[in-house]
C-alpha cells in the first residue's frame, strides 16, 4: 500500500479479529518498521516482544480484559528503558511513540488492524503485571501494546480537523 494511502486509511480498531494466525513474516515486517523509526541520539531504546502464543495471549487478555486484546491473534509489546542520552534527558517515550507510529502504518499497509493501548497499562499495575508475565528485567517497562489481527469489521479513520485549523506557515495565527 502506498504511504499516503496508509496514512489516510490508518485508524484505531477495537473490534474483533478473524481466527487466522498472522504469519511471523508479517509480524517481523511490522516490528522492523518500528525498529527503523528515529530515536533520540540514535539510542534505540525501544524494544519489542511479539506474542503469538495462545496461552500467553490468553493471560494477557485476562490482565487487560478488553475485547480487542482477548481476540487478538498477536500482540506487540513495546518496552522502554529510561536511559539519559542527552544532557541527562531520556527520549524513551518519544522513541517508543515514533516506533509505534511506524508500526501502525505497517499494520495498515499489510491490511491488518490494531489500536494503540497505553493509558490502561498505567492503572491497576497492569504494565507491571505484563512485565512479570514476559520476564522483563526491573529497569524495563511496558509502555504500549498493539493487539492485532485481520479485522472482522470495516474501520474508518475518525474525521480530522482541516489543515487550516491545525497548521500555519511562518507564524501562529
Amino acid at each position: 500500500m502506498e504511504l499516503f494511502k496508509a496514512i489516510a486509511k490508518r485508524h484505531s480498531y477495537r473490534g474483533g479479529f478473524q481466527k487466522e494466525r498472522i504469519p511471523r513474516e508479517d509480524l517481523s515486517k511490522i516490528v522492523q518498521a518500528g525498529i527503523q523509526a528515529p530515536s533520540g541520539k540514535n539510542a534505540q531504546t525501544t524494544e519489542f516482544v511479539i506474542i503469538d502464543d495462545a496461552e500467553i495471549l490468553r493471560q494477557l487478555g485476562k490482565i487487560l480484559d478488553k475485547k480487542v486484546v482477548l481476540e487478538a491473534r498477536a500482540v506487540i509489546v513495546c518496552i522502554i528503558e529510561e536511559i539519559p542520552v542527552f544532557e541527562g534527558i531520556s527520549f524513551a517515550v518519544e522513541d517508543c511513540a515514533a516506533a509505534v507510529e511506524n508500526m501502525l502504518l505497517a499494520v495498515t499497509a499489510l491490511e491488518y488492524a490494531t489500536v494503540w493501548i497505553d493509558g490502561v497499562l498505567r492503572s491497576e499495575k497492569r504494565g507491571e503485571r505484563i512485565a512479570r508475565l514476559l520476564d522483563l528485567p526491573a529497569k524495563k517497562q511496558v509502555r504500549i501494546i498493539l493487539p492485532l489481527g485481520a479485522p472482522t469489521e470495516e474501520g474508518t479513520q475518525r474525521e480530522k480537523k482541516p489543515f487550516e485549523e491545525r497548521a500555519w506557515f511562518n507564524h501562529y495565527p
Side-chain angles (χ1 to χ4, degrees), residues 60-66 118-132:
L60 188 63
K62 282 179 63 176
I63 293 170
L64 294 171
D65 193 30
K66 294 193 170 293
D118 180 353
V120 71
L121 300 174
R122 293 184 257 165
S123 66
E124 299 180 21
K125 298 192 182 272
R126 289 182 184 100
E128 291 91 339
R129 290 162 49 200
I130 294 168
R132 282 192 302 277

Side-chain angles (χ1 to χ4, degrees), residues 11-17 67-69 114-116 153 158:
H11 63 281
S12 297
Y13 181 79
R14 293 174 178 84
F17 294 111
K67 176 181 178 173
V68 71
V69 177
T114 190
V115 62
W116 174 320
E153 306 164 23
R158 286 183 151 180

